[in-house]
Amino acid sequence: MGFVSYGQNNDVIEVSDSLEVFLSKSKKFRTAFKIKESLDYAIKTIDLAHQLNSDEYICKGHYLMVSNYEVIEDYKNMEFHSQEALKYARKAKDTVMISYSLNALGGVYSDGLGEVERGMDYFNQSLEVAERVKDKSKEFPPVLNIGWIYIKEKEFDQAFPYLKKAEKLTEDHAGSFGIVATSHVKYLLGRYYIGKEQYERSHQLLNEAITNLEGINVFSILNEAYKAKAEAFEKVGNADSALYSINKHLFYRDKLLDEEKLQQIEVAKLNFNISEFKRELEANRREKEYLAKIDKRNIVITITSISLILLLAGILFVFYGYSSKKKLNKVLEERNEELIKAKAEAEKLTNTKSQFISTVSHELRTPLYGVVGITTLLLEENDIPTKHKKLLNSLKFSGDYLLDLINKVLKISKIESNNEKLTRTPTNLLQLSKNLLYSFEYQAKNKNNELILQIPDELPDVLSVDSLKVSEVLINLIGNSTKFTENGKIWLRIKIISLDKDMITIRYEIEDNGVGIPEDKKEFVFEKFSQVGREFNKAEGTGLGLSIVKNLLEMMDSEIHLDSKEGRGTRFYFDLELEVINEKEEQDIDTNADGINAMYRRILVAEDNKINQIVTKNLLNIIGYDCTIVENGFNAVQMVQKEDFDLILMDLNMPYLNGTEATRRIREFDQTTPIIALTASELSEIEEECMAIGMNDIINKPLNKNDLKNIITKHLLR
């Protein structure tokens, strides 16, 4: 959790009409996460305040800038505007705003820039100033922030007096803060008592905070409070309560992420609009200067022409024409340089975005591993009541849906960064199409739809095609039809356009008789995040599927076509030119040989997350293996040195010694034991590194039972 700033926005600000309007609108847009609009009005406040020579309003304008940059976590701009707010607050001798500005700087350095000691110094300065104000409630933000830093650094005895003072301030000045501030204090006190191993008192305070906030949906504190409860339950060995609290933590974390979607969209818009604004402003400035110079030259030329004879006038026109051309060339050269710089900046932003998406994918996939994995394990039980099984199926559907969303965002990122490559392999399209279509049988039954496969007998048995990308295209298109069709039919067809000895051109058609697409929406359906029809039928979806289809087909030198009428259904189709493989496709070797698990096999699992340990151990038991679990890479190396294992499942992100370094050390004395990497990151970004250090394979979290069984069997049979 970041630094807190309770109280700043509740003060009554008496300003002139225009400044009051600007400040009010800026705050309103900030609350709605419309950051660009809020910044516009904050800048207007500062500009007008400068014209009026009002240090007080300049300070408050800069403070609003700080508030906006806090939303998009732009700590460098927060630092600049906090310093400006402090400078003008001191000029205005506004003690309250001096305290608030110092408190903001404390948050910038401690929470944003990682300079904890410097941040603590600013918090203490803020507290010293606040103590000189007659209103004791102004002491609350720095007091609570100092306590929060000590809790974060696990210096619990130093934290306690500040937390107790914050508690007393909320009791003495309840009208100044409200239930959120009170609950924040209770949450941090709960964290304190966990650190002091007084778990009963900790649960009492955390429960009070949760009870206060669940009615008003303050997801950020609820998320952290349940996480703290899970930690307390885990320390006393109460696994059931710990698991319940973890699930509530994940629930509110998802809620918090949903709440932040609007914020992230506004951040993206803001970044784009600021860049566009800067480029447009600079271009207009240069164009204006250039036109002014041209106008000036024209005046000089006109006056000179009147005062001189025609011959001299002609010479002057030639001279000024040449000079203008030379100047114009210089302007063009400057603009070319600007374009080169803009291109470099765009490439840098693309790399930053890719890194951000990779990091977020790991952070989201890790808790999903627990949700999907535990749900799968529970569904394996035979004695689950029917009503609970329905709830578990719903939970698994939600987990799978969220995982599908993450994977689609990653797919878009990979395609845009040109990291997606074609890999053609001999493929039986009849079997592939049949398997894909009937994988939607469950969804079809739920909506009373009929699935129909139509493939000509003349289709060759084996064709050279990137089967994974074709599968992704078909899954998205069939899924789209399933989403918008009820009590109807869904067709998957292959038609032969042309065929000779070595090459074939086929057409895939996916058709349904569902709701169809309105004429005015057709041109938007392939854009990212478009969700045609959502407002009418409440269909779930991310708006990414058809965009992925379009990009994948472009990679395969094809394009998607749409034929639809509202109320009558939709048909998508695309053509592929493929090489015919004359030899029959070799049958896959049955790696699930009988008896592979009959003999005793020892598997070492290196995994630090408690929930993930439970899930992995149970999955291994279900598919017939026993395992030994260690919590970090250092223990994994020691265990392999002492005992023999048939296979190692190695998580890449662990404390003390990560999976990558642990593998390097194991390979110094053991080159034969298969090591399989477990990761929630995007596989394509880390696969090469894993193979280079001696790992044998890699598998994504959350683990699928069949995938885990296949990858283990594959390496134990070698």
Side-chain angles (χ1 to χ4, degrees), residues 586-647:
E586 296 181 3
Q587 297 296 318
D588 292 332
I589 297 174
D590 183 8
T591 57
N592 296 316
D594 293 336
I596 184 65
N597 295 329
M599 63 183 73
Y600 181 69
R601 297 284 187 172
R602 298 201 66 198
I603 294 178
L604 176 66
V605 178
E607 168 64 70
D608 64 308
N609 185 282
K610 298 292 185 185
I611 301 299
N612 293 353
Q613 290 175 4
I614 296 170
V615 173
T616 305
K617 181 178 177 63
N618 281 275
L619 281 176
L620 288 171
N621 290 341
I622 288 171
I623 61 180
Y625 295 104
D626 195 11
C627 69
T628 299
I629 294 177
V630 293
E631 294 188 343
N632 57 66
F634 181 77
N635 291 343
V637 175
Q638 288 187 319
M639 189 65 70
V640 176
Q641 287 174 330
K642 291 190 297 184
E643 302 181 25
D644 293 327
F645 292 93
D646 296 293
L647 185 137

Side-chain angles (χ1 to χ4, degrees), residues 20 29 37 78 80 83 97 118 125 167 186 220 226 229 255 331 372 414 416 450 501 535 591 609 707:
E20 184 176 8
F29 284 125
E37 291 84 350
M78 283 180 67
F80 171 78
Q83 293 285 9
M97 288 307 298
R118 191 173 181 185
Q125 290 183 52
E167 183 179 45
K186 290 182 184 294
S220 57
Y226 274 113
K229 280 175 66 67
K255 289 286 188 183
V331 171
V372 176
K414 280 183 65 180
E416 289 180 348
E450 180 184 356
K501 182 180 179 181
E535 63 271 26
T591 57
N609 185 282
D707 291 342

Side-chain angles (χ1 to χ4, degrees), residues 650-687:
M650 182 75 73
D651 184 34
L652 294 182
N653 293 282
M654 293 182 291
Y656 305 115
L657 193 69
N658 62 36
T660 303
E661 185 58 32
T663 299
R664 285 196 182 97
R665 296 189 185 183
I666 290 171
R667 286 300 182 228
E668 291 176 0
F669 60 86
D670 181 347
Q671 288 79 40
T672 58
T673 304
I675 301 177
I676 298 172
L678 305 178
T679 181
S681 300
E682 174 64 14
L683 294 186
S684 63
E685 296 178 2
I686 60 173
E687 185 172 11

Side-chain angles (χ1 to χ4, degrees), residues 214-309:
E214 282 190 318
I216 57 176
N217 294 330
V218 182
F219 300 133
S220 57
I221 303 178
L222 285 169
N223 165 49
E224 295 294 336
Y226 274 113
K227 185 178 180 181
K229 280 175 66 67
E231 178 185 345
F233 281 128
E234 183 181 341
K235 287 186 176 181
V236 298
N238 189 338
D240 291 338
S241 297
L243 180 58
Y244 171 80
S245 296
I246 280 288
N247 286 331
K248 293 292 285 185
H249 158 63
L250 294 174
F251 171 78
Y252 283 113
R253 185 173 178 174
D254 289 344
K255 289 286 188 183
L256 184 62
L257 288 171
D258 288 340
E259 187 178 76
E260 289 177 347
K261 284 179 183 176
L262 175 62
Q263 172 182 332
Q264 293 300 324
I265 292 170
E266 287 299 324
V267 170
K269 287 182 180 177
L270 175 64
N271 289 335
F272 175 78
N273 286 332
I274 286 178
S275 298
E276 288 296 307
F277 174 74
K278 286 181 177 177
R279 283 195 289 271
E280 183 179 340
L281 186 63
E282 182 63 17
N284 287 340
R285 184 185 67 79
R286 291 184 177 277
E287 185 175 353
K288 185 176 180 180
E289 289 179 357
Y290 179 68
L291 289 175
K293 290 177 181 178
I294 294 294
D295 288 341
K296 187 175 180 180
R297 280 193 204 100
N298 288 338
I299 293 171
V300 173
I301 290 170
T302 302
I303 295 172
T304 306
S305 298
I306 294 173
S307 62
L308 297 175
I309 62 174

Side-chain angles (χ1 to χ4, degrees), residues 491-508:
W491 292 268
L492 174 60
R493 304 188 189 96
I494 295 180
K495 293 181 178 180
I496 298 176
I497 306 301
S498 65
L499 173 63
D500 57 34
K501 182 180 179 181
D502 298 320
M503 299 298 295
I504 184 173
T505 301
I506 65 168
R507 172 167 295 174
Y508 260 115

Side-chain angles (χ1 to χ4, degrees), residues 29 33-43 68 266 269-270 273-274 277:
F29 284 125
F33 294 120
K34 294 185 177 180
I35 307 304
K36 178 182 180 298
E37 291 84 350
S38 181
L39 284 172
D40 285 342
Y41 279 103
I43 291 169
N68 279 285
E266 287 299 324
K269 287 182 180 177
L270 175 64
N273 286 332
I274 286 178
F277 174 74

